[in-house]
Amino acid sequence: MATADHTGTAAGVPAPAVQIARQLTDALHDLATLPVPGARELIVIRGITPSGTFTVPVENVVQQLIPLLVPAEGPPRVFTYADSVMFARGGTGADASLVPVCTDTDVTKAAPGVLANLMIVEQPGKDGVVQFSVPAKVLSVLLNAEPLRQALARVDLYARRPVFSADFTLLAPGYHPDCRILVHGTEIDPVTPTLPAGETVLDRLPPLLRQLLAGFCFKTASDLTNFVGLMLTGLLANHFLDGSKAVALLDGNQPGVGKTLACRVFGIVIDGEDPHLIDYTPNDEELRKRICATLRSGLQSVLVFDNAKQASGLPISSAVIESNSVARNITIRLLGTNTNFSRPNDVSWCITMNQTQVSPDLMSRGLPIRLAYEGPTGSRTFSGPEPLDFARQNRLELLAELAGFVVRWTQAGRPDGVRPHRCHRWAQLIGGILRANGFPDFLDNYEAASGEFNSDLDDLGVLASAALAQPNGPFVVTTPQETAP
Amino acid sequence: MPKIEPVPRAARPKAAAAPPLEGPSRPAEGDEQLDVREQTYNDGLRGQIERVSTAVALIVRVRAVMVDVDLKYLASELYAGEDGTAADRLYTQTAHVWLNRHPLLRHAEVRHSGTGLHVVQHVGPAVEFQTTADRDRWAAIVRAVQASLPGDPNAPGLNVHTRPLGSINSKSGLPVKLLRKGSPVSPKAVIDFVEDLRRRPFATVAGILFGTGRITPCPVCRSSGSSMAAMANEGRCYERCGKVTLARLYGTIMADPTAGRG
């Protein structure tokens, strides 16, 4: 960056002439090396060579970095999240995102470049000061240094939407150190007016949710209520980090009834991103890779296993889904490495299927949402707005309406839901919110859906049918006694 | 060198205490006008040097770039003759030509400081510093502009002061007077000028001091029939000098005030 020295002294040149020429050269050199308007003030680290050698004690560099990466004032930009070190790119708005710079103990390929947004190394060179990004070799030492790792701000939950804290305070975008939640997105203002009265569930929904869901052919009112419950589960994902939330089971009576579309709409509203769909496969190893690849982007908290089916007609049963959906942390080994990908289980798990059965274990944790349409689905059109576009265009308002459910529930004294479920706390909370808002039929379809989805109950049904097909038994017909009203 | 008659120390009026600095002060009358200085930065305060002088770190605004052209650093041929003061002659014989040659410097105000010239290029609107980096950048810009003319190499940069018109220079006993009215230039015009200096330092300075891309005769060797081509970063004399540096170019018009001292 140094400019050429044009002063060039010679014998007989008056000293002031040399001085003034040097002043010009120095000033122009300074201008070439000073930050231009708009240039960012980066953290400058010293004591490192481009080849990654420390020319000062390593610990000095670590201690030099700690106050810079963990600023006393202003939001931090480097966090630990699960087992990774992440860099927050682009402020806290809707365009912001978390980029992994160190997964478990391995520095990512992008780390030197990404962290150059924050810090660079400076070293005296032959032609002046040279600057370069922190070499990966050095980052590996620094980002795995225990004092630094422990000092970094920790994120327990990362969300791309405003979230409710443990005491149901709506957290705006930014880092919230007290609850270790990092929110990227746009602030919302919960919509809290009293919900409209109406006979049907749809009529009682707030206006935008009503428009969004009007075209979906939910089988019963309870199925629609359960879908709203699913959206509330996504909004309140941080309240179920211990894994105690249901897996959404979206079943259609035939292909093309809108199960996948409903999941995509759900993903767009919750994350602002059209979720990457995971093709279901009974091969757990392959499914594990697909889950990992989907979650590593960091943008998606809605996992959609699309069109789950078993070729042999066996029930859907996946150890990967069943174990990870209830785990506190989702931990999956990275392909071709000895390191794990890990993140908190703030994920909404959804499986779409067509009249398919699931294992009893999955059913017991299931949130059944059934869609049904009679006739050819190809000719079916949505009466309202196109759901994906509508969700994208009205995402913040839809989130505000969902947040309004939580606010009204709080105003009503936070009553619990009454419907039992294996995910007891989840059912109490989501059921309570829906009940307080005038939707008492949450999970009312559970028994009926269990009969349809649960392979064990189905086997029992086959047995009962076979027995009943024998006119002479083996069974005894009894007439139930009337009970007094 | 011109002979500047110094005011005998005993005869010098005693500097009065400067008025309190509550906003820009007016030029004081009578004795209060002695050696008053005017900030080219911040609020443009006027007063005694110890009252208006400000550390560079406290400067938040630049209002003008000033080049202090001190005769002691210049070759006497630039202000030959006996008419008026040496500074008057420097302006009429040389400095106004330098300034007229450049579209930016043409707007500069010139003050007879009592001993030399103050070339004051007003900047309008004043440049407000938002960050330390802004100030550092403008400090370098000011130094570059100052060095585009053969000014005092020891003059301050960003925190330089001029003398207000009508004030008295105690060194000469002369009042500061206006030789040339100036007009403000935009900050962008100043930046563009410095960018030109960055791209073509030698050619830009040579253009101001000598006017053309090819200077005849070569100002360094002055040989008959010689000429010097002013290229971007250096000059080239094809007669005797060969490569001509910026220092040698300045050396043709500057003098060393300490030369010849025992």
Side-chain angles (χ1 to χ4, degrees):
Chain A
M1 286 195 284
T3 54
D5 183 351
H6 311 297
T7 54
T9 57
V13 177
V18 175
Q19 268 181 278
I20 206 85
R22 182 156 294 143
Q23 180 181 322
L24 180 59
T25 306
D26 290 350
L28 296 174
H29 174 261
D30 285 354
L31 277 172
T33 53
L34 281 169
V36 296
R40 298 166 297 173
E41 285 191 33
L42 301 177
I43 296 168
V44 176
I45 308 172
R46 295 183 178 84
I48 296 167
T49 66
S51 62
T53 305
F54 288 86
T55 57
V56 296
V58 175
E59 204 56 19
N60 288 9
V61 179
V62 171
Q63 293 303 327
Q64 181 191 339
L65 265 186
I66 288 176
L68 300 173
L69 296 184
V70 190
E73 291 179 10
R77 293 192 68 187
V78 180
F79 301 90
T80 55
Y81 178 48
D83 292 334
S84 299
V85 180
M86 313 289 272
F87 174 75
R89 180 168 57 185
T92 59
D95 296 333
S97 60
L98 276 185
V99 183
V101 291
C102 186
T103 304
D104 201 353
T105 55
D106 287 358
V107 171
T108 63
K109 280 183 186 169
V114 169
L115 286 174
N117 286 292
L118 191 63
M119 57 189 182
I120 44 94
V121 185
E122 203 170 86
Q123 192 192 36
K126 201 171 67 180
D127 298 319
V129 172
V130 291
Q131 294 187 334
F132 48 92
S133 61
V134 187
K137 192 172 147 188
V138 171
L139 282 177
S140 180
V141 174
L142 297 178
L143 295 178
N144 284 301
E146 286 178 359
L148 179 66
R149 197 95 171 208
Q150 284 165 8
L152 288 176
R154 175 158 193 83
V155 172
D156 286 344
L157 179 93
Y158 170 61
R160 300 188 55 75
R161 64 189 175 276
V163 298
F164 284 94
S165 66
D167 62 353
F168 294 96
T169 303
L170 189 61
L171 301 177
Y175 178 60
H176 302 273
D178 45 344
C179 50
R180 301 198 295 210
I181 291 176
L182 176 65
V183 177
H184 284 163
T186 309
E187 199 162 359
I188 61 168
D189 191 12
V191 177
T192 54
T194 308
L195 292 175
E199 279 191 22
T200 68
V201 169
L202 194 65
D203 291 340
R204 298 198 298 274
L205 285 173
L208 293 174
L209 275 170
R210 192 188 321 140
Q211 283 188 69
L212 177 71
L213 302 178
F216 287 94
C217 48
F218 291 102
K219 188 172 181 180
T220 66
S222 179
D223 291 294
L224 172 53
T225 301
N226 287 3
F227 188 77
V228 178
L230 173 64
M231 297 183 93
L232 288 168
T233 303
L235 180 70
L236 298 171
N238 55 310
H239 292 257
F240 311 114
L241 288 179
D242 56 359
S244 62
K245 59 178 176 292
V247 175
L249 303 170
L250 287 96
D251 185 70
N253 67 336
Q254 60 174 320
V257 291
K259 308 173 302 292
T260 306
L261 187 64
C263 288
R264 290 174 65 192
V265 162
F266 171 46
I268 289 170
V269 171
I270 294 300
D271 295 324
E273 295 281 329
D274 196 346
H276 174 78
L277 304 176
I278 300 173
D279 288 336
Y280 176 82
T281 168
N283 181 337
D284 266 355
E285 195 52 41
E286 180 58 29
L287 198 58
R288 190 174 280 120
K289 290 176 194 168
R290 293 178 189 178
I291 293 171
C292 185
T294 305
L295 290 180
R296 280 195 84 186
S297 74
L299 300 176
Q300 195 170 323
S301 74
V302 173
L303 278 183
V304 183
F305 300 92
D306 197 31
N307 200 19
K309 58 187 168 194
Q310 295 273 48
S312 55
L314 293 169
I316 303 296
S317 177
S318 164
V320 176
I321 297 176
E322 286 168 20
S323 61
N324 279 295
S325 65
V326 295
R328 179 173 283 275
N329 284 300
I330 303 166
T331 304
I332 298 172
R333 187 173 166 178
L334 288 170
L335 191 63
T337 72
N338 289 324
T339 54
N340 287 329
F341 166 79
S342 182
R343 76 176 264 178
N345 188 1
D346 58 343
V347 171
S348 297
W349 300 73
C350 307
I351 301 174
T352 74
M353 53 198 189
N354 290 310
Q355 294 192 308
T356 306
Q357 291 171 336
V358 297
S359 68
D361 200 36
L362 207 48
M363 186 63 226
S364 68
R365 295 193 188 108
L367 168 63
I369 299 168
R370 297 165 303 167
L371 292 94
Y373 185 76
E374 300 305 328
T377 53
S379 57
R380 191 170 79 92
T381 54
F382 274 82
S383 53
E386 203 286 307
L388 296 176
D389 287 345
F390 188 81
R392 277 191 201 98
Q393 289 159 10
N394 299 283
R395 175 177 178 250
L396 296 177
E397 294 79 4
L398 287 162
L399 282 170
E401 287 188 351
L402 288 169
F405 275 73
V406 181
V407 173
R408 277 188 295 271
W409 168 71
T410 294
Q411 288 167 347
R414 296 182 187 162
D416 283 341
V418 293
R419 184 78 206 187
H421 191 275
R422 182 170 169 185
C423 300
H424 178 65
R425 205 178 134 263
W426 163 81
Q428 266 190 342
L429 182 61
I430 300 298
I433 292 171
L434 286 165
R435 201 158 70 92
N437 282 275
F439 300 89
D441 48 358
F442 179 60
L443 289 176
D444 274 2
N445 64 351
Y446 190 80
E447 276 73 24
S450 287
E452 295 169 21
F453 299 172
N454 192 328
S455 59
D456 276 5
L457 292 182
D458 193 56
D459 289 346
L460 192 61
V462 170
L463 184 64
S465 300
L468 288 169
Q470 304 291 325
N472 298 322
F475 55 84
V476 177
V477 178
T478 60
T479 306
Q481 285 187 336
E482 295 270 337
T483 52
Chain B
M1 289 287 289
K3 191 175 181 185
I4 298 171
E5 294 294 332
V7 178
R9 185 165 289 277
R12 286 180 192 169
K14 211 170 180 180
L21 293 177
E22 294 174 356
S25 55
R26 295 176 182 172
E29 293 184 359
D31 288 351
E32 292 182 352
Q33 293 187 16
L34 189 70
D35 285 338
V36 174
R37 301 299 205 283
E38 179 181 340
Q39 293 176 338
T40 58
Y41 53 87
N42 286 0
D43 293 330
L45 297 183
R46 296 170 184 178
Q48 296 300 312
I49 183 70
E50 63 272 20
R51 304 298 299 270
V52 300
S53 182
T54 304
V56 171
L58 298 178
I59 294 177
V60 296
R61 185 180 305 120
V62 64
R63 309 164 69 89
V65 181
M66 196 208 83
V67 186
D68 184 2
V69 182
D70 194 329
L71 276 73
K72 71 181 177 194
Y73 295 112
L74 295 178
S76 56
E77 65 196 52
L78 301 180
Y79 48 91
E82 297 294 328
D83 297 338
T85 65
D88 286 323
R89 296 197 299 278
L90 175 67
Y91 175 70
T92 53
Q93 292 173 25
T94 309
H96 90 278
V97 183
W98 291 342
L99 302 180
N100 286 345
R101 283 184 182 134
H102 196 277
L104 181 93
L105 300 176
R106 193 175 291 152
H107 295 277
E109 176 186 315
V110 182
R111 296 179 186 184
H112 186 311
S113 69
T115 55
L117 301 179
H118 282 186
V119 178
V120 184
Q121 182 56 70
H122 295 280
V123 183
V127 180
E128 305 281 345
F129 304 149
Q130 306 297 328
T131 62
T132 309
D134 286 348
R135 182 168 53 231
D136 293 344
R137 186 168 141 78
W138 272 91
I141 288 171
V142 167
R143 280 190 286 118
V145 174
Q146 287 175 327
S148 68
L149 289 170
D152 178 354
N154 301 311
L158 202 55
N159 57 345
V160 70
H161 301 105
T162 183
R163 289 174 182 267
L165 296 173
S167 65
I168 305 296
N169 185 332
S170 66
K171 290 179 193 166
S172 64
L174 295 174
V176 177
K177 64 179 182 183
L178 184 69
L179 296 178
R180 173 188 179 120
K181 197 176 174 184
S183 58
V185 295
S186 69
K188 184 178 181 303
V190 179
I191 291 168
D192 288 347
F193 172 54
V194 173
E195 175 59 18
D196 199 31
L197 278 171
R198 191 191 64 77
R199 284 189 299 108
R200 311 181 310 128
F202 190 94
T204 305
V205 172
I208 294 167
L209 301 181
F210 297 99
T212 60
R214 181 169 288 274
I215 304 155
T216 306
C218 167
V220 180
C221 64
R222 303 187 191 194
S223 305
S224 174
S226 67
S227 68
M228 186 191 76
M231 295 182 292
N233 294 317
E234 63 187 30
R236 179 68 63 178
C237 168
Y238 298 99
E239 189 68 23
R240 286 176 57 181
C241 312
K243 176 183 165 184
V244 177
T245 62
L246 203 50
R248 288 181 77 190
L249 185 73
Y250 278 124
T252 62
I253 54 170
M254 296 187 81
D256 187 349
T258 62
R261 285 186 191 171

